[in-house]
């Protein structure tokens, strides 16, 4: 694979997974572009932060990225506001299992 071919593969895999209500590709972390991995408006939860009161609090990706430091801008509820969080410390708002169990209930 070339880097561009791999990126296209990931994009197709993500689209197919979402359409089929499946989890996205396990290779997503290999894509270095933060905007691709954390699109603006996505809901995320931090984990392993030194500000422990933020761990597990759902925030929204603002679309601000610091690629050199591997950080993503996240809008948290007041009083926290917008903070720059390392991408390694972010996970989706809900796991695939949580998301799919809500679908079964509805």
């Amino acid at each position: 694979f070339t880097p561009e071919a791999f990126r296209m593969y990931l994009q197709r895999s993500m689209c197919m997974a979402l359409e089929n209500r499946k989890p996205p590709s396990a290779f997503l972390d290999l894509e270095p572009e933060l905007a691709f991995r954390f699109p603006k408006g996505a809901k995320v939860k931090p984990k392993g932060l030194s500000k422990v009161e933020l761990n597990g609090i759902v925030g929204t990706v603002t679309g601000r990225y610091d690629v050199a430091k591997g950080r993503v801008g996240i809008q948290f509820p007041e009083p926290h506001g917008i903070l720059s969080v390392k991408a390694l410390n972010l996970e989706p708002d809900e796991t695939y299992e949580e998301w799919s169990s809500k679908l079964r209930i509805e």
Side-chain angles (χ1 to χ4, degrees):
F1 279 115
T2 65
E4 186 58 34
F6 183 65
R7 173 179 246 185
M8 289 174 57
Y9 165 76
L10 284 177
Q11 287 176 329
R12 274 195 308 272
S13 294
M14 283 178 50
C15 289
M16 288 174 47
L18 292 173
E19 287 173 12
N20 294 314
R21 301 191 186 279
K22 300 287 183 195
S25 173
F27 297 114
L28 192 55
D29 286 343
L30 297 177
E31 171 56 48
E33 189 175 319
L34 294 175
F36 182 81
R37 293 173 49 206
F38 300 97
K40 182 177 180 177
K43 302 288 186 190
V44 293
K45 289 189 294 193
K47 60 179 173 42
L49 298 181
S50 57
K51 285 189 173 185
V52 294
E53 66 272 13
L54 288 174
N55 290 325
I57 301 292
V58 176
T60 305
V61 176
T62 64
R64 295 181 187 172
Y65 307 97
D66 184 339
V67 176
K69 294 182 180 176
R71 292 181 168 270
V72 179
I74 307 295
Q75 174 72 54
F76 288 102
E78 290 300 329
H80 305 292
I82 297 175
L83 298 172
S84 179
V85 180
K86 287 183 181 178
L88 294 173
N89 293 88
L90 293 172
E91 57 188 25
D93 169 26
E94 52 189 7
T95 64
Y96 174 70
E97 289 78 22
E98 291 168 335
W99 177 76
S100 61
S101 69
K102 285 198 313 194
L103 288 178
R104 283 183 239 139
I105 293 170
E106 296 171 356

